Amino acid sequence: MKRIILVQGNFDVLHPGHIRLLKFAKECGDWLIVAVNSDATMSVKSRVNENYRLELVKSLECVDDAFLTTYSASELIEKHKPHAVVKGKEFEERYNPELTALNSYGGKLIFGSGEFEANAEQFVKRVEYLKNNFDYSESQAYAQRHNIDLVSMNKCLDDVKHVRATVIGEIIVDEYVQGTAVGLSQEDPTIVMTPNRTDTFLGGAAITAAHIKSIGAKAVNLISVLGNDEAATFAKEKVKNYQVTPYFYLDDSRPTPLKTRYRAGSKTLLRVNEVRHHKIAKDIQDAIFEQVEALLPNTDLLVFSDFNYGVLPTSLVQRLTTLCKQYDVKLVADSQTSSQVGDISRYFDMDLITPTEKEVRVALNNPDDGLVILAQKLTEKSHSKNLVITLAEEGVLIHKPSRDLKNWENDRLPAINKHAIDPAGAGDCFLAASSLALAANASPWHAYYLGSLASACQVSTTGNTPLSLSLLKQTVEESFS
């Protein structure tokens, strides 16, 4: 006898959190049925009609049956007698009316949000191969939901020409050693490669500043701290090509961050980081603060591009945030957690933060909750006005927070480029484009649309190079065709 699992929900905009929950639910039994609440039963009208919401749920490989319903949870349980009902982890401490109906025959109530390490995109049924790398089908639906058209996007690109920005954070020199994988060593299980060429790029705060300028900002300042080494010399030379104004400070106690990637074909085999994590000295902090104070009368946007190598200690961030509020300057932040540990929640009262899912979970010390609950909890902690969780090849989850904890709004944009050549730098490009659009007074929905298109363009090539404005404009046009 099949163990039936039941899940009920609105599935307003199907995002990776839903997919993970449903995959988890399928693993709890043999046959997964999903009841999608009809439009008539929803207290807040959805941007997406019921038939489309149902179609998206049916597109998942883990779903065996899905249907629209006007029934309550208890009525559905009475009708289908499931082995278990599965709900998100966030419901575990709440009142759950399903329990009474389940207890009447020995059914179970299971809480779980799925594994965040899993790639949700692989569980969507593929009905045809893409003709090229860019797939606009879901982004076009997003545009329709938020009244975004080509005219409004072109206006957004025109408006960014008036924005003056300052970017502060670590400059990173990215070195790519491209070679051929020969095979496995006979002495130990090590991949042997023969290097063919080495390419070097500027990353970190430098590429974020370069993207902002190349997309069209009127003026961009770049503030960072360098070591006394060859990487610093390269950074000073290279940044001249970016048409940004540099303000660099020397710290002999640290090297300029250098990251070397060894690649074979389109795959990275090994990355070697030459970095230090200690905070910059107080006198350098004071010098940076004074420089920002001098720039703010002619600044519309301040971007914290924090890789957590000590350039942006919390005390400096707090002083700069207070100062920017006095000048009504837009504030955005990205604080990276990968091989290093950061805390995006220390960027308080930002206009936009763009953490990865891992960075959100680290900041909240929360491995359990689903994406939407995580997003709301982070906005409560950080008081950010806008939040986007970047999900690599799964795209982005957008969270428009609310202070009453009841009326928040979510949406998602998929990764438009389905075959990224080099995903490194996608987040920097998304941050640059979306923050620039926000500073130009575009709606958040327009800003994230532009950011997603910009990221799709960025991951089409190896290495971090400033985004081509002509390519971005062409992609914007194609997305509406």
Side-chain angles (χ1 to χ4, degrees):
M1 182 177 179
K2 288 182 178 179
R3 295 175 301 162
I4 296 174
I5 306 297
L6 170 66
V7 176
Q8 182 178 12
N10 296 333
F11 302 97
D12 191 7
V13 177
L14 191 69
H15 56 68
H18 289 139
I19 299 173
R20 295 172 193 175
L21 170 67
L22 293 174
K23 177 180 177 292
F24 169 78
K26 178 59 182 286
E27 292 169 349
C28 294
D30 305 309
W31 190 262
L32 175 61
I33 60 175
V34 180
V36 179
N37 294 326
S38 68
D39 288 345
T41 63
M42 296 176 65
S43 57
V44 178
K45 186 177 179 181
S46 172
R47 292 178 183 272
V48 183
N49 71 56
E50 58 186 23
N51 292 321
Y52 186 64
R53 290 189 286 117
L54 177 62
E55 180 184 343
L56 288 175
V57 171
K58 283 184 172 181
S59 74
L60 302 179
E61 289 183 346
C62 58
V63 175
D64 296 298
D65 187 22
F67 51 87
L68 292 171
T69 185
T70 58
Y71 289 170
S72 68
S74 297
E75 290 170 327
L76 285 170
I77 292 169
E78 177 66 27
K79 180 178 180 181
H80 295 280
K81 293 291 192 299
H83 167 74
V85 170
V86 172
K87 302 180 72 173
K89 194 74 174 176
E90 64 271 16
F91 291 95
E92 193 165 16
E93 302 301 325
R94 303 183 192 177
Y95 168 69
N96 293 282
E98 298 91 343
L99 271 175
T100 301
L102 288 167
N103 289 338
S104 68
Y105 64 89
K108 298 180 179 179
L109 182 58
I110 301 173
F111 301 98
S113 299
E115 295 297 323
F116 79 86
E117 292 91 348
N119 174 8
E121 285 292 319
Q122 65 184 300
F123 303 112
V124 179
K125 295 172 185 172
R126 302 299 182 191
V127 295
E128 62 180 1
Y129 291 102
L130 298 176
K131 295 179 181 178
N132 54 52
N133 289 353
F134 282 30
D135 180 7
Y136 300 114
S137 56
E138 289 188 65
S139 62
Q140 288 172 344
Y142 170 95
Q144 291 175 358
R145 290 196 293 273
H146 300 289
N147 299 315
I148 299 172
D149 56 21
L150 182 58
V151 173
S152 61
M153 288 306 302
N154 283 335
K155 181 180 185 303
C156 178
L157 287 170
D158 286 338
D159 290 344
V160 303
K161 297 176 182 177
H162 305 291
V163 175
R164 301 159 300 178
T166 294
V167 180
I168 177 171
E170 288 90 352
I171 283 181
I172 296 172
V173 177
D174 289 313
E175 191 175 63
Y176 289 76
V177 180
Q178 193 71 39
T180 302
V182 179
L184 286 177
S185 168
Q186 296 302 307
E187 290 79 19
D188 52 41
T190 303
I191 295 176
V192 179
M193 69 170 286
T194 302
N196 300 323
R197 74 170 194 274
T198 299
D199 298 311
T200 309
F201 305 90
L202 272 190
I207 195 61
T208 299
H211 286 321
I212 291 174
K213 187 67 178 75
S214 66
I215 294 171
K218 182 177 181 180
V220 181
N221 304 305
L222 172 61
I223 299 174
S224 192
V225 177
L226 303 177
N228 187 12
D229 48 32
E230 291 183 8
T233 302
F234 173 82
K236 292 174 183 175
E237 260 325 291
K238 190 70 174 177
V239 82
K240 293 177 182 177
N241 301 328
Y242 291 168
Q243 297 182 298
V244 303
T245 304
Y247 297 91
F248 294 154
Y249 300 85
L250 174 64
D251 186 346
D252 287 321
S253 71
R254 70 178 63 238
T256 304
L258 172 63
K259 298 183 178 181
T260 304
R261 295 171 175 85
Y262 294 88
R263 292 171 61 87
S266 61
K267 305 297 183 183
T268 298
L269 305 179
L270 173 69
R271 190 172 82 179
V272 179
N273 292 352
E274 298 178 44
V275 298
R276 296 289 185 275
H277 294 82
H278 62 275
K279 298 175 184 176
I280 57 175
K282 185 68 165 57
D283 61 328
I284 300 179
Q285 293 184 46
D286 291 339
I288 290 175
F289 179 84
E290 291 171 5
Q291 185 59 67
V292 173
E293 188 173 29
L295 294 172
L296 279 188
N298 295 304
T299 298
D300 306 298
L301 169 68
L302 181 73
V303 179
F304 291 110
S305 182
D306 186 6
F307 286 78
N308 290 289
Y309 297 135
V311 170
L312 288 166
T314 299
S315 57
L316 178 59
V317 170
Q318 291 173 343
R319 292 170 67 195
L320 291 174
T321 300
T322 301
L323 188 64
C324 287
K325 295 297 180 183
Q326 296 173 9
Y327 286 88
D328 196 27
V329 170
K330 281 275 194 302
L331 285 164
V332 302
D334 188 29
S335 176
Q336 300 219 3
T337 294
S338 54
S339 57
Q340 72 279 43
V341 177
D343 180 7
I344 187 63
S345 67
R346 71 188 180 94
Y347 285 91
F348 194 79
D349 208 19
M350 297 288 113
D351 292 284
L352 171 66
I353 54 176
T354 59
T356 64
E357 180 179 353
K358 178 180 178 180
E359 288 157 3
V360 179
R361 293 190 184 278
V362 168
L364 298 174
N365 189 25
N366 185 332
D368 296 321
D369 285 331
L371 287 173
V372 173
I373 301 303
L374 282 174
Q376 181 61 22
K377 286 182 177 179
L378 182 56
T379 55
E380 290 171 26
K381 184 176 180 181
S382 66
H383 282 211
S384 58
K385 297 179 178 64
N386 295 282
L387 169 67
V388 174
I389 300 179
T390 58
L391 299 165
E393 66 271 20
E394 297 176 75
V396 297
L397 175 74
I398 300 162
H399 185 70
K400 187 177 180 182
S402 68
R403 299 295 178 233
D404 61 7
L405 313 184
K406 296 179 181 178
N407 298 310
W408 64 66
E409 189 171 5
N410 300 287
D411 209 329
R412 63 89 58 133
L413 273 165
I416 294 168
N417 189 336
K418 299 299 182 182
H419 301 283
I421 294 175
D422 182 10
D428 299 329
C429 198
F430 181 90
L431 176 73
S434 55
S435 61
L436 187 55
L438 284 176
N441 295 316
S443 77
W445 306 114
H446 282 76
Y448 309 143
Y449 189 81
L450 183 66
S452 291
L453 294 176
S455 295
C457 296
Q458 174 62 22
V459 300
S460 298
T461 57
T462 299
N464 262 340
T465 54
L467 181 65
S468 164
L469 178 58
S470 60
L471 176 60
L472 179 59
K473 286 183 175 179
Q474 177 185 338
T475 305
V476 169
E477 291 180 6
E478 287 180 354
S479 73
F480 291 102
S481 62

